[in-house]
């Protein structure tokens, strides 16, 4: 079972957090701080699973962005590790599409980011990507909710994850 | 969108309103709507499983939905349900297998692929369900072999996600009933993982290995070298996982090195949680497999040092208990203790070393208890060392209390000590009231060496055969007494007050605080911090303690009431008793010595006082010692019960006589020798001992305790005392007589196996009066059968288990263990142990079951293991429903009204009634089936009340209106109305 889902940048600021178990607000901040401290202290050669208190952290780093998922004993670490990747792929697909449609960002260079390009992005474009994600946090939340519900992985099919969101976008346009 | 919201945040109370809507949506033409509906239902299932119980067949439909997404969503519900009750869904195994086969075979639409692996998460989910279903079930497992093999084969592409699937496969293969070639493949897979250069895979491999070695330790051997490499891995997480693996494969030979590695890791680790976790494991291993004493002590010292004050309090407690109780070998014990003392002495040599508080506490306890084992050392030196510790600033007051009690103990053994005097002087003026208290106590005890020796009868006890349990008792008593636990203070303060000849003294509060403290320490073992530590020492066997203690008190009290005044009979019975040779009882004599020793002593002090006060004091003190001596006896409960069994009949006839004779002994020093000098008293004591020794049947000391308890009850007559005994009675009535009465059937158990069951399986009398279920067979093998019976008493639900030995030879070490579940709580502990069950006989044990988390039905499972040629394991499970824990609550309409308004959690539902049914009939059905209490019926409205054990009230309001019966339940507990409503519904449907 997934306990929480965090997106944290290298400076330790939380970009997105979603808890699937009730945690008090002050405790959340503390937990997030500790979690990111734990993740930052690890090198690339070390394994992506950390035992933290009575649960485990699975993290993946995408340039400056860490995605950390807290899980309990029963969950399969590797599956969650790949879920993160799947999530990022979905984000990539959605936002790369958006970047071509979205007029408000038209001043900025339009780049179609395939995911593999994304991994090797220059610092500048990473900022741009994160920037975009930050400004569309609601969308990110919707995507996440489609994928993970009540701590369970409910959907991993990219088309299906994006379907409701695209409907929403269409409605907003018309 | 609304459905998404529903499945995320949704209050339980609104479910009935929305449920039909969602049910409709299950038939919606768009797959996404159907999927969301299923997800919402899953959420409902999570928060209130009872309310969606009627649509289980719809879940099945969802599982067979033509769309993959809907099917996948329903899997979550099934995973949850299978987790709770695997046996109920065995028939679905085939469907799951088929689905998995399709998924693995790539029958899904292409967009479900993730990196060209078809729906990996779905596969994982399915594998998990299969694992749960196939657990311990060869037939179901049979169905899966093929598909598991298939998925192992398919998942050979090198990608992370396939590893995740493989891992899940391996886990499933090892969970279900094993099949050799699958196991082989799985083992190969693990090997690949462990040897992989990829760190994440290595981790996964280790985790799998940890899981697997529980079934097959040989696998670890194959990967020895890799494991060793992992131990020195730069990544602490890998190390940690490896240690976890090692922890599982520890045995007597490799313990030293493994513990060494673990300690190294703990020393480097800074995270509190890891330290707590690992120190616990080290201590557990050390206790289990320690190769020799020296090593054990050293390891434990290391644990205390690193673990510091964050470690689990059980560790020092267990350690001390081990020291005190010892093993079977007396010499070993001595050595162990001696070594402990020596090592602590050398540790204390250092001037300014800093030790964790808990370590100091352990040290001071050990030194106080066993300092005399060092022959050449001067206790004075030890005291000086402890004294120096006392003056350290970093020592907390709790630790100081431990040190003081150690010094007190030692002071009682040595003639005179300057350091002690100095210490007394210094701390008598201390600002810390606790310390001052201890100092005063010590001072008074020093002035009266005689009393002190008797109060802390260490030397004598440690030379007897029962050393272990007695010194343990001493520890408990002394610790409890001198560390400020309740029994000591009243006694002591009374003494002081006596000395100052204050006559108008109100003893009530003391008696009060005392008795309550005794009861609480008896049952919960949590009193003062110091009392706590030792109290929890006994938590392991507190269950037995609790019940046996009460049992005997209870059984005997009645006899005493009837026969209490038969002094003339005494001589005769005394002689009779003397002829009772009881070799095994000689062990127990040691215990008997305790109460009489102190009682006369007490009287010496209190003779100048008014008679009533004297008796009260004596009796209250006595209760403490009496009960604690029984407590210590219970450490040997096994032998006790056995003896009881053999002689239960004889005992019963003799207990009365004993009761009277012992009562006489007890009263002797009271009146006839008011002016006796301590010396004479001593002689008198001697005689008394002799006689007691002869008299002492195994129950005598229990009698002693009960006699005193009785007296205390009659003398103090405080309302609270009354309450206490009520409490005891109530608890004892739960357990009482389990030995005596249940044993009778076993004594008269017929030799033939055939009719034995029907003849001997009867409930003890006092239980038979309560409503109870049929006696049903739980499980059986060639030699042993377990029967169970639920008894619904007023204040708890009892589960009586009978273990019948059908074989012609006695069964040894039969263990009955319940698995802990989140729903139920079993008192006092989860297991029940019979050292031996004679051939063709039946043993019984009873457990009180309480509902911990509300559910409509729950399964309590467990197993019986016994040893006959080889260890055998029998599993069983029992179903409890909510109605097992419901009792009527008798209240008035007025109270009902008040309560009704104060409760906030309510549930309402309407039922259709058949025309001939009326409110009265409906209510009566509810009353009979659910044990409700009907408060009042007003016109077409009815009120009923019940309580969930122990005392959660639930109120029911029902009303008939045009052939509908609307039930309205309210309770202070949020989950209760829901579940109860479901029960009502079921009952109504049945009728």
């Amino acid at each position: 079972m997934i306990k929480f889902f965090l997106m944290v940048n290298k400076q330790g600021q939380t970009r997105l957090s979603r808890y699937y178990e009730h945690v008090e607000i002050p405790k959340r901040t503390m937990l997030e701080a500790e979690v990111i401290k734990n993740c930052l202290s690890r090198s690339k050669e070390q394994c992506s699973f950390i035992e933290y208190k009575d649960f485990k952290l699975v993290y993946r780093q995408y340039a400056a962005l860490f995605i950390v998922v807290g899980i309990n004993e029963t969950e399969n670490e590797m599956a969650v590790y790949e879920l993160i990747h799947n999530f990022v792929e979905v984000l990539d697909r959605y936002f790369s599409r958006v970047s071509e449609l979205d007029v408000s960002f038209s001043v900025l260079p339009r780049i179609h980011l395939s995911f593999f390009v994304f991994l090797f992005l220059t610092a500048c474009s990473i900022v741009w990507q994160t920037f975009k994600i930050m400004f569309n946090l609601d969308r990110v939340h919707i995507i996440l909710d489609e994928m993970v519900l009540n701590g369970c992985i409910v959907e991993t099919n990219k088309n299906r994850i994006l379907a409701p969101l695209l409907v929403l976008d269409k409605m907003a346009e018309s | 969108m609304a459905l998404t919201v529903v499945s995320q945040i949704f209050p339980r109370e609104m479910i009935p309103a929305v449920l039909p809507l969602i049910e409709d949506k299950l038939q919606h033409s768009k797959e996404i709507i159907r999927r969301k509906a299923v997800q919402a239902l899953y959420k409902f299932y999570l928060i209130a499983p009872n309310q969606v119980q009627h649509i289980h067949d719809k879940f099945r439909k969802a599982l067979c939905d033509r769309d993959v997404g809907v099917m996948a969503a329903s899997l979550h519900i099934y995973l949850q349900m299978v987790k709770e009750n695997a046996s109920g869904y065995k028939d679905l195994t085939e469907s799951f297998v088929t689905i998995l086969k399709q998924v693995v075979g790539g029958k899904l639409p292409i967009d479900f692929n993730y990196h060209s692996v078809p729906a990996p998460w779905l596969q994982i989910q399915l594998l998990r369900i299969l694992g749960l279903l196939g657990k311990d079930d060869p037939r179901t497992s049979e169905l899966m072999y093929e598909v598991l093999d298939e998925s192992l084969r398919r998942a050979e592409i090198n990608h992370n996600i396939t590893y995740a699937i493989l891992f899940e496969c391996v886990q499933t293969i090892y969970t279900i009933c094993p099949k050799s070639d699958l196991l082989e493949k799985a083992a190969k897979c693990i090997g690949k993982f462990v040897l992989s250069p990829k760190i994440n895979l290595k981790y996964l491999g280790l985790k799998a290995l940890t899981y697997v070695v529980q079934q097959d330790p040989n696998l670890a051997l194959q990967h020895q070298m890799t494991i060793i490499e992992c131990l020195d891995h730069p990544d602490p997480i890998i190390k940690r996982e490896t240690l976890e693996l090692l922890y599982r494969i520890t045995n007597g030979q490799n313990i030293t090195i493994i513990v060494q590695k673990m300690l190294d890791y703990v020393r480097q680790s800074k995270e509190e949680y890891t330290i707590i976790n690992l120190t616990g494991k080290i201590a557990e291993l050390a206790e289990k497999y320690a190769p020799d004493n020296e090593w054990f002590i050293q390891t434990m010292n290391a644990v205390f040092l690193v673990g510091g004050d964050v470690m689990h309090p059980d560790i020092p407690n267990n350690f001390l208990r081990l020291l005190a109780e010892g093993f079977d070998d007396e010499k070993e014990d001595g050595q162990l203790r001696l070594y402990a003392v020596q090592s602590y002495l050398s540790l204390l040599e250092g001037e300014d070393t800093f030790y964790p508080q808990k370590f100091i506490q352990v040290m001071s306890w050990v030194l106080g208890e066993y300092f005399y084992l060092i022959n050449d050392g001067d206790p004075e030196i030890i005291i000086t060392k402890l004294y120096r510790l006392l003056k350290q600033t970093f020592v907390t007051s709790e630790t100081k209390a431990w040190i003081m009690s150690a010094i007190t103990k030692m002071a009682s053994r040595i003639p005179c000590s300057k350091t002690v005097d100095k210490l007394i002087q210094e701390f008598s003026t201390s600002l810390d009231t606790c310390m001052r208290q201890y100092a005063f106590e010590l001072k008074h005890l020093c002035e009266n060496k005689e009393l002190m020796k008797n109060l802390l009868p260490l030397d004598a006890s440690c030379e007897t055969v029962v050393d272990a349990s007695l010194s343990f008792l001493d520890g408990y008593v002394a610790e409890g007494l001198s560390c400020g636990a309740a029994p000591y203070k009243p006694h002591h303060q009374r003494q002081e007050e006596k000395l100052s000849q204050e006559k108008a003294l109100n003893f009530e509060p003391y008696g009060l605080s005392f008795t309550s403290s005794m009861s609480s320490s008896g049952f919960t073992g949590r009193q003062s911090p110091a009392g706590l530590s030792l109290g929890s020492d006994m938590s392991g066997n507190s269950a037995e303690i609790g019940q046996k203690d009460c049992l005997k008190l209870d059984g005997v009290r009645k006899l005493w009431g009837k026969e209490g005044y038969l002094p003339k009979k005494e001589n005769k019975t005394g002689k009779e008793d003397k002829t009772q040779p009881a070799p095994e009882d000689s062990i127990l004599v040691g215990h008997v010595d305790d109460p009489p020793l102190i009682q006369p002593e007490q009287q010496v002090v209190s003779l100048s006082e008014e008679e009533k006060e004297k008796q009260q004091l004596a009796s209250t003190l006595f209760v403490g010692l009496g009960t604690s001596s029984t407590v210590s006896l219970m450490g040997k409960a096994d032998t006790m019960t056995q003896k009881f069994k053999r002689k239960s009949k004889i005992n019963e006839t003799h207990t009365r006589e004993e009761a009277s004779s012992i009562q006489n002994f007890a009263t002797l020093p009271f009146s006839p020798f008011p002016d006796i000098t301590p010396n004479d008293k001593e002689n008198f004591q001697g005689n008394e001992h002799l006689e007691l020794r002869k008299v002492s049947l195994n129950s005598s000391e229990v009698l002693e305790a009960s006699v005193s308890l009785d007296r205390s009850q009659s003398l103090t007559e405080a309302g609270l005392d009354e309450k206490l005994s009520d409490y005891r009675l109530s608890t004892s009535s739960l357990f009482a007589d389990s030995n005596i009465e249940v044993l009778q059937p076993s004594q008269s158990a017929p030799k033939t196996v055939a009719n034995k069951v029907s003849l001997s399986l009867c409930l003890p009398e006092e239980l038979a009066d309560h409503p109870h279920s049929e006696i049903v067979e739980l499980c059986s093998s060639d030699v042993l059968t377990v029967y169970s019976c639920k008894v619904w008493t007023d204040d708890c639900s009892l589960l009586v288990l009978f273990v019948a030995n059908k074989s012609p030879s006695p069964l040894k070490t039969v263990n009955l263990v319940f698995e802990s579940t989140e729903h139920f709580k079993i008192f006092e502990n989860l297991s029940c142990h019979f050292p031996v069950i004679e051939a063709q006989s039946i043993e019984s044990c009873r457990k009180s079951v309480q509902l911990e988390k509300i559910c409509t039905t729950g399964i309590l499972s467990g197993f019986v293991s016994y040893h006959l040629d080889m260890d055998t394991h029998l599993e069983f499970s029992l179903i409890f429903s909510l109605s097992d824990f419901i009792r009527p609550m008798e209240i008035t309409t007025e109270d009902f009204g008040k309560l009704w308004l104060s409760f906030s959690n309510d549930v309402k539902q309407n039922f259709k009634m058949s025309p001939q049914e009326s409110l009265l009939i409906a209510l009566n059905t509810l009353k009979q089936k659910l044990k409700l209490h009907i408060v009042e019926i007003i016109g077409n409205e009815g009120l009923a009340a019940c309580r969930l054990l122990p005392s959660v009230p639930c109120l029911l309001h029902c009303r008939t209106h045009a052939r509908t019966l609307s039930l309205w339940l309210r309770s202070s507990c949020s989950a209760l109305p829901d579940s109860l409503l479901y029960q009502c519904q079921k009952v109504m449907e049945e009728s």
Side-chain angles (χ1 to χ4, degrees), chain A residues 10-11 13 19 26 37 51 59 75 99-100 108 133:
Chain A
K10 249 186 171 166
Q11 284 78 47
Q13 291 158 308
Y19 288 81
K37 210 172 74 196
E51 273 167 55
Y59 71 92
E75 196 66 52
S99 73
E100 282 163 316
L108 291 161
I133 290 174

Side-chain angles (χ1 to χ4, degrees), chain B residues 772-973:
Chain B
H772 59 83
S773 68
E774 299 275 298
I775 297 177
V776 286
E777 185 182 311
L778 273 185
C779 63
S780 83
S781 70
D782 309 343
V783 290
L784 181 137
T785 311
V786 181
Y787 304 91
S788 78
C789 178
K790 292 182 208 165
V791 181
W792 303 294
T793 65
D794 286 344
D795 41 17
C796 71
S797 283
L798 279 178
L799 179 66
V800 184
L801 290 168
F802 301 93
V803 185
N805 180 3
K806 296 188 283 187
S807 73
S809 55
L811 280 178
K812 283 196 181 121
T813 54
V814 180
N815 270 316
L816 220 154
V817 180
F818 288 99
E819 273 158 32
S820 60
T821 59
E822 52 174 343
H823 294 305
F824 303 109
K825 198 167 157 191
I826 299 175
F827 295 99
E828 308 294 339
N829 57 13
L830 287 172
S831 63
C832 189
H833 175 74
F834 309 100
V836 84
I837 299 185
E838 297 296 337
Q840 311 286 358
S841 71
I842 292 179
E843 295 283 324
S844 79
C845 78
R846 52 180 99 174
K847 298 278 171 201
S848 157
V849 183
Q850 223 183 56
L851 196 63
E852 184 96 319
K853 197 178 140 199
I854 291 172
C855 61
T856 48
T857 51
I859 295 178
L860 189 63
S861 54
F863 60 84
V864 187
S865 63
Y866 58 92
H867 186 84
L868 186 86
D869 303 329
M870 53 183 280
D871 286 323
T872 322
H873 217 68
L874 270 180
E875 296 200 359
F876 61 82
S877 61
L878 269 163
I879 296 176
F880 272 94
S881 78
L882 181 70
S883 54
D884 285 330
F885 303 96
I886 296 286
R887 299 286 179 275
M889 186 167 79
E890 296 186 8
I891 54 170
T892 60
T893 314
E894 231 171 81
D895 290 337
F896 186 96
K898 274 180 209 158
L899 277 176
W900 183 266
L901 292 177
S902 66
F903 292 156
S904 54
N905 303 297
D906 65 348
V907 178
K908 243 180 181 175
Q909 192 160 344
N910 292 337
F911 296 98
K912 287 247 158 58
M913 283 204 303
S914 52
Q916 67 269 24
E917 239 184 331
S918 72
L919 177 69
L920 196 64
I921 296 174
L923 268 177
N924 272 335
T925 338
L926 289 178
K927 183 187 173 184
Q928 277 162 15
K929 297 265 172 70
L930 288 177
K931 307 186 202 84
L932 301 182
H933 168 71
I934 298 174
V935 181
E936 203 177 352
I937 298 176
I938 317 161
N940 62 349
E941 288 179 52
L943 307 175
C946 66
R947 63 193 163 96
L948 173 73
L949 290 172
S951 60
V952 184
C954 185
L955 307 177
L956 185 144
H957 173 271
C958 47
R959 191 171 159 205
T960 46
H961 179 71
R963 283 204 198 160
T964 51
L965 171 72
S966 52
L967 286 183
W968 193 356
L969 288 144
R970 270 195 181 187
S971 167
S972 55
C973 166

Side-chain angles (χ1 to χ4, degrees), chain A residues 99-149:
Chain A
S99 73
E100 282 163 316
L101 300 171
D102 199 347
V103 239
S104 63
F105 290 109
S106 57
V107 267
L108 291 161
R110 288 176 193 174
I111 18 172
H112 180 87
L113 297 168
S114 99
F115 175 70
F116 296 101
V117 177
F118 173 64
L119 269 185
F120 305 102
L121 278 179
T122 57
C124 157
S125 54
I126 291 161
V127 170
W128 147 230
Q129 186 86 10
T130 341
F131 185 64
K132 227 165 42 174
I133 290 174
M134 269 177 62
F135 273 86
N136 291 290
L137 257 188
D138 54 335
R139 303 293 153 92
V140 182
H141 264 290
I142 292 174
I143 292 175
L144 185 58
D145 287 344
E146 284 294 318
M147 294 179 73
V148 182
L149 196 76

Side-chain angles (χ1 to χ4, degrees), chain B residues 546-560:
Chain B
Q547 31 176 299
K548 300 278 165 56
D549 194 1
C550 300
L551 150 95
K552 286 160 195 159
L553 296 181
D554 183 47
V556 171
R557 182 173 300 156
K558 289 179 211 149
L559 298 168
W560 157 249

Side-chain angles (χ1 to χ4, degrees), chain B residues 549-777:
Chain B
D549 194 1
C550 300
L551 150 95
K552 286 160 195 159
L553 296 181
D554 183 47
V556 171
R557 182 173 300 156
K558 289 179 211 149
L559 298 168
W560 157 249
K562 262 190 270 169
E563 308 281 335
Y565 49 91
L566 287 177
K568 279 179 191 169
K569 261 193 177 175
E570 190 231 331
N571 285 338
K572 233 195 250 171
T573 56
K575 265 175 204 163
E576 241 176 28
D577 289 337
K578 276 177 210 167
T579 58
Q580 288 270 333
E584 69 265 65
D585 292 339
S586 58
I587 309 168
L588 298 160
V589 178
H591 299 287
V592 188
D593 290 346
D594 261 1
L597 257 176
I598 295 173
Q599 193 204 25
E601 198 56 50
Q602 252 344 101
Q603 277 142 20
V604 177
V605 192
S606 55
L607 276 174
S608 59
E609 270 295 303
E610 281 174 77
E611 188 71 11
K612 199 186 166 195
E613 283 172 351
K614 249 188 285 175
Q615 286 179 349
Q616 191 184 8
L617 172 67
S619 58
T620 37
L621 243 179
F622 217 93
V623 184
L625 291 156
T627 43
S628 57
S629 80
T630 33
V631 162
S632 82
L633 265 175
M634 289 316 133
K636 299 223 154 197
D638 298 347
T639 50
M640 273 298 292
T641 42
Q642 230 179 313
K643 279 173 228 151
F644 239 150
K645 276 170 216 160
R646 271 187 226 136
K647 307 186 183 175
S648 65
K649 274 240 158 106
I650 317 163
N651 270 355
E652 263 189 292
T653 52
H654 283 295
T655 35
R656 304 176 182 181
E657 294 151 10
E658 279 164 31
S660 55
S661 65
I662 285 180
Q663 183 258 335
N664 272 311
F665 285 130
T667 44
L668 269 177
F670 257 82
S671 40
F673 310 104
D675 296 312
I676 208 152
T677 62
N679 251 349
D680 291 340
K681 203 77 182 177
E682 211 91 278
N683 292 339
F684 188 72
Q685 261 176 349
N687 291 337
E688 203 175 19
H689 281 189
L690 268 176
E691 290 197 51
L692 263 173
R693 228 172 265 267
K694 286 169 197 155
V695 174
S696 64
L697 268 173
N698 48 16
S699 58
S700 63
E701 69 275 27
V702 181
L703 277 173
E704 194 79 15
S706 73
V707 165
S708 55
L709 190 96
D710 231 16
R711 196 181 302 146
S712 79
Q713 197 194 1
S714 60
L715 285 176
T716 48
E717 279 181 317
L720 253 150
D721 227 5
E722 207 73 43
K723 224 184 250 170
L724 164 76
S725 69
D726 278 350
Y727 174 41
R728 289 194 173 203
L729 269 170
S730 70
T731 41
S732 64
S733 68
L734 307 184
F735 305 110
D737 301 8
S738 64
N739 277 336
I740 297 169
E741 268 155 288
V742 177
L743 282 168
Q744 279 167 341
S746 81
Q747 270 183 341
S748 58
K751 295 293 172 230
T752 47
V753 182
N755 54 0
K756 188 188 67 186
V757 170
S758 55
L759 267 171
S760 53
L761 270 184
C762 56
L763 283 171
E765 271 173 45
E766 90 285 353
L767 287 183
D769 296 341
H770 293 287
H772 59 83
S773 68
E774 299 275 298
I775 297 177
V776 286
E777 185 182 311

Side-chain angles (χ1 to χ4, degrees), chain A residues 1 18 34 38 42 44-56 59-60 71-87 89 115-116 141-142 145-146 148-161 163-164 168, chain B residues 1 4 7-8 31-32 35-36 39-40 42-43 46 67-70 72-73 76 83 109 111-115 119-122 124-125 128 159-161 163-165 167-168 171 199-201 203-204 207 233-238 240-241 244 271 273-274:
Chain A
M1 161 142 175
R18 187 87 173 79
E34 287 216 7
N38 262 319
R42 298 180 62 81
K44 280 231 167 72
E45 294 82 53
Q46 290 180 317
C47 94
S48 329
F49 316 126
I50 312 174
E51 273 167 55
Y52 173 74
K53 298 220 165 132
D54 52 345
F55 49 87
K56 287 192 181 153
Y59 71 92
R60 238 178 142 141
I71 55 172
N72 70 2
E73 284 293 311
T74 57
E75 196 66 52
N76 182 331
E77 286 94 342
M78 197 53 113
V80 175
Y81 186 67
E82 283 309 299
L83 177 81
I84 298 176
H85 194 84
N86 195 4
F87 173 69
E89 282 183 13
F115 175 70
F116 296 101
H141 264 290
I142 292 174
D145 287 344
E146 284 294 318
V148 182
L149 196 76
N150 293 315
C152 297
I153 305 168
V154 289
E155 187 60 83
T156 48
N157 182 331
K158 291 190 193 89
N159 294 334
R160 293 197 171 191
I161 294 168
L168 219 70
Chain B
M1 206 79 248
T4 319
S7 39
Q8 277 173 23
E31 55 83 16
I32 186 164
R35 181 162 62 87
K36 294 275 177 186
Q39 283 168 8
Y42 171 63
K43 178 72 181 175
L46 281 184
D67 185 77
V68 188
V70 183
H76 291 289
K83 226 183 244 170
D111 61 352
F112 279 94
N113 284 11
Y114 173 80
H115 291 254
W121 290 280
L122 187 61
I124 289 169
Q125 191 80 359
R128 250 180 234 161
H159 190 273
N160 276 338
I161 194 68
Y163 298 135
I165 298 175
F167 175 78
E168 209 62 45
Q171 236 180 9
I199 186 101
N200 286 344
L201 272 190
Y203 177 88
L204 220 56
K207 195 180 160 194
H233 203 274
D235 189 345
I237 299 296
I238 294 280
R240 176 87 175 72
E241 199 60 30
E244 186 72 34
E271 207 200 334
Y273 187 83
T274 323

